[in-house]
Amino acid sequence: MIGPPHHRHASGKGSIIHPLDHPVWNSLRHGWSALAQGDALALRLDPDHGPFAAAATRDDAGRAALAALTPDDGELWMIGPDALSPPPGVHVMRTAMLTQMVADRVTDDGPALPDWHILGEEDGPAMLELALLTKPGPFRRHTHRLGRFIGVRDEDGRLAAMAGERMRLPGFTEVSGVCTHPNWRGRGLAGALMRMVMRAMLDRGETPFLHAYASHDRTIALYRGLGFAVRAELPMMVVGWTDQ
């Protein structure tokens, strides 16, 4: 069983101190509300956009509502209080601790970014292909529609690297979908793209945040170098009806 986040949740039904303590629920209630499925007890993101779900409370009713939202042939990803115990009847497919980081500035260090482009609907298949190859996190057929994505193409016009936005809640936007084709790694593209994405968020008056696996020290160090600081550790749980 995953332990609770450090000093984040009160007793009882799990009061949330800060909106980022329950990022999926707050995204589903705000930035993702048009794509949310469920009811007042629990919500999930439209499966074509992503596998995330959350409950309003940690009581039995909320957990049962999450179980009802679990797809027959897919999975649900839960972050924060929802990941403390599985919904009834489902299989726990994997768990992890995430380091949540926020940034109130962007460092100016790093190589200059080559020609970059705002990625649009026509780039969706290429974005999905790159994400499935590099596995930056859950990326579905319409994930690219969750926010603004930018990318760099190689000399043949193929997508070499990208970064964009995913969770959206009042005052905060998540940097996500950051990945680089193996042939283009080691050139600083990911960091340069992330700086561009972060600056756009800060210019809009939003605080960038992200999640990294707590065990990935090198990744966390890279994000610190961009201006991020650790805010909290949150549990993550992936569940489904079959133990895939």
Side-chain angles (χ1 to χ4, degrees), residues 113-117 119 123 125-131 133-136 150-163 177-191 193:
L113 185 65
D115 289 343
W116 59 276
H117 308 270
L119 301 175
D123 299 299
M127 298 167 72
L128 180 61
E129 181 181 6
L130 181 60
L133 173 66
T134 58
K135 303 186 186 311
I150 62 175
V152 173
R153 298 188 177 96
D154 65 17
E155 58 274 9
D156 296 320
R158 294 171 297 195
L159 190 60
M162 68 178 184
V178 181
C179 51
T180 305
H181 192 282
N183 293 345
W184 284 79
R185 289 176 181 162
R187 309 186 193 195
L189 293 181
L193 286 169

Side-chain angles (χ1 to χ4, degrees), residues 31-51:
W32 289 350
S33 60
L35 300 169
Q37 302 175 354
D39 55 28
L41 292 174
L43 295 169
R44 74 175 182 187
L45 182 62
D46 170 74
D48 281 341
H49 290 76

Side-chain angles (χ1 to χ4, degrees), residues 195-228:
R195 287 187 175 92
M196 295 287 294
V197 171
M198 293 165 65
R199 289 192 183 101
M201 293 174 180
L202 290 167
D203 288 346
R204 299 195 303 256
E206 301 161 3
T207 298
F209 74 101
L210 54 74
H211 297 99
Y213 288 107
S215 60
H216 290 186
D217 294 338
R218 292 182 61 184
T219 301
I220 293 171
L222 168 65
Y223 295 156
R224 288 184 187 275
L226 299 175
F228 283 97

Side-chain angles (χ1 to χ4, degrees), residues 8-18 21-22 56-58 81:
R8 292 299 175 191
H9 302 290
S11 59
K13 292 185 179 181
S15 299
I16 305 303
I17 298 172
H18 188 284
D21 288 341
H22 208 184
T57 63
R58 285 173 53 193

Side-chain angles (χ1 to χ4, degrees), residues 47-190:
D48 281 341
H49 290 76
F52 296 99
T57 63
R58 285 173 53 193
D59 58 15
D60 290 344
R63 293 171 61 247
L66 280 174
L69 291 176
T70 304
D72 293 337
D73 57 351
E75 57 190 30
L76 286 187
W77 288 51
M78 300 173 293
I79 296 173
D82 306 294
L84 293 173
S85 57
V90 301
H91 290 278
V92 177
M93 301 168 69
R94 54 194 175 278
T95 63
M97 288 299 297
L98 302 181
T99 295
Q100 186 183 78
M101 308 181 76
V102 296
D104 59 9
R105 63 183 181 89
V106 184
T107 63
D108 292 326
D109 300 331
L113 185 65
D115 289 343
W116 59 276
H117 308 270
I118 297 175
L119 301 175
E121 186 66 22
E122 68 279 5
D123 299 299
M127 298 167 72
L128 180 61
E129 181 181 6
L130 181 60
L132 293 178
L133 173 66
T134 58
K135 303 186 186 311
F139 205 97
R140 302 293 186 261
R141 185 165 60 100
H142 292 157
T143 298
H144 65 279
R145 297 179 180 176
L146 293 177
R148 178 177 178 268
F149 277 80
I150 62 175
V152 173
R153 298 188 177 96
D154 65 17
E155 58 274 9
D156 296 320
R158 294 171 297 195
L159 190 60
M162 68 178 184
E165 305 169 353
R166 185 171 60 185
M167 296 184 196
R168 307 175 69 88
L169 52 154
F172 299 91
T173 304
E174 184 190 27
V175 180
S176 186
V178 181
C179 51
T180 305
H181 192 282
N183 293 345
W184 284 79
R185 289 176 181 162
R187 309 186 193 195
L189 293 181

